[in-house]
Amino acid sequence: MVPLLPVALQPLHGHLEGTLLPRGFFLVLGLVYLTALAVDRGAQRLRLPSTVAILLLGLLLGQGMASFHHVTALHVESIHRISLALLIFFAGLGTNLRRIRGTVGAGLRLGTLGVLLTLLILGLALKLAGPALDPGLAQLPFAAAWLAACCLTPTDIGALEDLLESLPQAIGGRLRHLLTFEAALSTVSALLCFSFLAGFFHVHNHSHTDTLGLAVERAHSLVTQLGWFLRHLLAGLLAGGLVGVLAPWLIDKLVRSEQQLLLVAISLAFVAFGLGQLFGGGGLLAVFIAGVWLSNSHYRLMRFDQHALERVMHPFNTAAELNVLLLLGFLVTPAHLIRMLPLGLVLALVLPLARLAGVWVSMPGQAFTRRDRWTVAGCGLRGAVPLALAVAMAEELPHLGGVSAEGAEPMGTLLLALIFVVVLANLVLQTVGMRWFTRKEG
């Protein structure tokens, strides 16, 4: 029987012939990317944060494309993992150590101590305010609170670049390079903290109900996770360093055009990730180390330097950001966002205070002026990376101590919506605040 509708116009059900993808996948994917770019352009003209516009677009698309939800959890996880790896690789490429001389110590403290302080303050705030403001979080355990807070610790380099370009008074020199370095390092620190917490709070034996048994299990888990942490660091450093050492030689030998440079750069990122996983699970750390090494290496052909690497990788970094931002829109609903609005606004106000505490501890007054510290504190925007971690957080909840099997899914839905609200509010509040601050100080 001949179908009444052309294939392209038939309902989006079933799979495209010869593939595992749903029918209409490529048509919808192309239209989504074009719409996202149009929204991004419109946001720039209106001087609005592009990340906010893309997040809202993802939410709108997520509610209007219910018939397209044949995309499985495996598809989501694959897109999420690849996008996160590309974001981290690009962050490594943007870390030029020659530019941050004199601010390396402050950057290291901001990207590590600042992350830990933000995690501590936000975790406590969520644990105290969550049950008080929403009954759905009445049984929120510390494990889930710390893991959700960890998602909000990294500064996002994409949102940071949008903010710096939109400010009436430009931020340049060492502060701009410091912010870029801190954004990259905070991403790696947040990933390590997330993995450590997820493993530490993972329940291996649900039969322990007595305090002593739980204490023994926690002590054993701590020792295990410390060992994993060291192995993870060594694996990432070894794999990233190995790829970084070989990368300049490979680029000099193989690359004759920028098109080939793009292919080699992506290949090196994937090789670093795969070697890190093979050596002990440090794939994302290896990607970052490889990016930093490539950024600071010397090449026989000077046109294949850090600027060229950033230039050819920038479109892929943009696509990765779009993927992450749009993805969360398919996982939350307006009803949950409205429900989480009060708690999200509370945490969005706590977040800059936590950032300010980290800046004041990390940037001593002898080396930085008060204006420098306020400027850096106001540039701690959250964006694609926190949202990517939020997706991973929802997957980890069923395995955490204190989270029941039946309560994991609704709690994960609420926490995803909460992180969405906090990121959205943070982008708006800090962008408006920094514009006012730079005008006032200028």
Side-chain angles (χ1 to χ4, degrees):
M1 182 176 179
V2 178
L4 298 178
L5 292 174
V7 172
L9 299 180
Q10 291 179 16
L12 300 179
H13 294 292
H15 288 85
L16 187 65
E17 184 177 356
T19 75
L20 298 177
L21 298 172
R23 187 179 299 276
F25 178 85
F26 295 107
L27 172 63
V28 173
L29 187 64
L31 292 175
V32 165
Y33 280 135
L34 290 174
T35 305
L37 292 174
V39 168
D40 177 78
R41 183 68 178 271
Q44 290 180 357
R45 288 180 175 177
L46 296 174
R47 297 180 63 82
L48 296 173
S50 299
T51 305
V52 172
I54 301 299
L55 276 174
L56 294 177
L57 174 64
L59 179 63
L60 180 64
L61 292 174
Q63 308 315 306
M65 295 173 59
S67 62
F68 198 68
H69 284 182
H70 291 283
V71 179
T72 66
L74 182 60
H75 295 142
V76 171
E77 174 61 21
S78 299
I79 294 172
H80 162 255
R81 186 59 64 93
I82 293 173
S83 298
L84 189 56
L86 288 175
L87 286 172
I88 293 173
F89 183 64
F90 190 78
L93 288 177
T95 306
N96 190 317
L97 299 179
R98 293 182 291 273
R99 296 175 184 168
I100 59 174
R101 288 175 181 172
T103 61
V104 174
L108 289 173
R109 290 190 295 271
L110 274 172
T112 53
L113 181 59
V115 166
L116 292 176
L117 276 174
T118 303
L119 172 60
L120 176 64
I121 294 171
L122 282 180
L124 288 173
L126 177 55
K127 176 60 179 175
L128 295 174
L133 293 177
D134 192 278
L137 299 177
Q139 303 300 321
L140 181 71
F142 265 114
W146 295 130
L147 209 60
C150 191
C151 298
L152 294 167
T153 56
T155 303
D156 188 77
I157 194 167
L160 173 64
E161 289 179 351
D162 285 344
L163 173 65
L164 294 177
E165 291 175 4
S166 69
L167 292 178
Q169 297 291 330
I171 298 174
R174 65 171 186 166
L175 285 188
R176 190 183 188 100
H177 298 318
L178 172 64
L179 286 166
T180 303
F181 176 53
E182 181 257 334
L185 185 59
S186 69
T187 297
V188 176
S189 298
L191 288 168
L192 292 173
C193 287
F194 184 93
S195 298
F196 182 87
L197 290 173
F200 177 70
F201 289 115
H202 188 98
V203 178
H204 300 281
N205 189 347
H206 292 270
S207 63
H208 289 309
T209 57
D210 59 293
T211 304
L212 179 60
L214 289 174
V216 171
E217 181 179 334
R218 285 284 174 261
H220 180 267
S221 180
L222 177 60
V223 173
T224 301
Q225 286 306 114
L226 287 174
W228 169 89
F229 185 79
L230 292 175
R231 187 181 66 188
H232 198 85
L233 281 177
L234 290 175
L237 291 171
L238 178 61
L242 181 61
V243 171
V245 168
L246 294 176
W249 179 80
L250 287 172
I251 289 175
D252 288 339
K253 292 294 183 182
L254 300 178
V255 176
R256 292 294 175 268
S257 67
E258 286 202 353
Q259 293 84 353
Q260 293 178 338
L261 181 63
L262 170 63
L263 181 60
V264 171
I266 294 177
S267 301
L268 290 171
F270 288 157
V271 168
F273 183 85
L275 281 179
Q277 294 287 353
L278 185 64
F279 290 165
L284 293 174
L285 178 59
V287 167
F288 176 73
I289 297 298
V292 173
W293 206 298
L294 263 69
S295 174
N296 294 276
S297 295
H298 296 281
Y299 301 91
R300 181 171 56 85
L301 298 177
M302 295 304 295
R303 60 194 176 106
F304 298 148
D305 59 2
Q306 183 225 4
H307 298 293
L309 285 165
E310 284 189 290
R311 185 167 58 251
V312 299
M313 284 298 300
H314 196 274
F316 279 82
N317 183 71
T318 302
E321 287 184 343
L322 290 178
N323 287 337
V324 173
L325 295 174
L326 293 171
L327 180 62
L328 195 63
F330 286 82
L331 302 178
V332 298
T333 63
H336 287 116
L337 293 179
I338 294 172
R339 178 175 171 177
M340 288 290 103
L341 190 59
L343 179 58
L345 291 177
V346 169
L347 291 183
L349 293 174
V350 172
L351 185 54
L353 298 177
R355 168 77 174 178
L356 186 60
V359 168
W360 239 254
V361 170
S362 304
M363 299 175 63
Q366 298 89 343
F368 297 92
T369 66
R370 184 181 295 269
R371 185 184 186 279
D372 288 342
R373 288 184 282 179
W374 278 107
T375 300
V376 172
C379 291
L381 278 76
R382 272 56 182 172
V385 175
L387 297 176
L389 284 177
V391 176
M393 178 269 305
E395 297 172 354
E396 291 291 340
L397 282 180
H399 309 294
L400 299 182
V403 180
S404 62
E406 61 276 6
E409 184 175 350
M411 184 179 293
T413 301
L414 291 178
L415 291 177
L416 273 175
L418 175 65
I419 292 171
F420 190 105
V421 171
V422 175
V423 168
L424 205 63
N426 173 258
L427 287 167
V428 173
L429 292 175
Q430 290 209 239
T431 299
V432 172
M434 280 302 297
R435 287 176 180 171
W436 173 84
F437 176 76
T438 51
R439 287 193 186 99
K440 180 176 178 294
E441 293 293 319

